[in-house]
């Protein structure tokens, strides 16, 4: 083979290589865009607004009505508290509150 023919073959190989790189790059851009959209959609779904009505039960140690009054007073001072119910036998307090104004961990 003469050097001119080898040179032409080398140019064709470079062109094919560059075309393949471009196709790979475009495909990867699409894949990355789809993955980013999926991640963003998942984040939007998880970042939903808190529930307006949350009901939770706490296990507490109560010694009669004085403990009940103290617990009730402390809970009702918290923002968003709608209802406090006591079960002295089970030693539990059921609290209903607005999840947009407070959280279980805050109570």
């Amino acid at each position: 083979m003469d050097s001119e023919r080898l040179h032409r073959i080398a140019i064709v190989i470079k062109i094919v290589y560059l075309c393949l790189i471009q196709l790979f790059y475009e495909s990867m851009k699409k894949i990355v865009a789809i993955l980013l959209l999926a991640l963003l959609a998942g984040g939007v779904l998880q970042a939903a607004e808190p529930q307006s009505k949350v009901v939770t039960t706490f296990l507490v140690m109560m010694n009669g009505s004085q403990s009940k009054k103290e617990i009730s007073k402390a809970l009702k001072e918290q923002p968003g508290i709608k209802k406090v119910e006591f079960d002295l036998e089970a030693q539990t307090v059921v609290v209903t509150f607005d999840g947009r104004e407070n959280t279980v961990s805050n109570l």
Side-chain angles (χ1 to χ4, degrees):
M1 285 191 192
D2 61 351
S3 65
E4 186 177 321
R5 184 176 169 119
L6 287 175
H7 181 67
R8 286 183 185 172
I9 291 172
I11 290 174
V12 169
I13 290 172
K14 286 180 184 178
I15 291 171
V16 169
Y17 174 76
L18 291 173
C19 287
L20 288 173
I21 293 290
Q22 184 66 26
L23 284 172
F24 176 76
Y25 176 72
E26 292 299 320
S27 297
M28 289 306 294
K29 278 188 353 184
K30 289 177 185 175
I31 290 170
V32 168
I34 289 169
L35 288 174
L36 283 174
L37 284 173
L39 287 172
L40 288 173
V44 167
L45 292 175
Q46 288 180 353
E49 191 174 311
Q51 296 178 3
S52 61
K53 180 181 178 184
V54 179
V55 180
T56 190
T57 303
F58 294 99
L59 183 62
V60 294
M61 301 297 287
M62 293 184 282
N63 298 332
S65 62
Q66 184 61 31
S67 296
K68 182 178 170 181
K69 286 178 188 175
E70 291 170 7
I71 293 169
S72 183
K73 181 182 176 204
L75 285 170
K76 289 190 178 184
E77 289 175 355
Q78 295 291 319
I81 301 298
K82 303 296 182 202
K83 187 161 78 170
V84 178
E85 298 172 299
F86 292 89
D87 184 341
L88 293 174
E89 268 186 49
Q91 297 285 297
T92 59
V93 178
V94 178
V95 182
T96 304
F97 65 96
D98 188 334
R100 296 171 294 194
E101 296 181 40
N102 217 326
T103 62
V104 173
S105 61
N106 190 46
L107 298 176

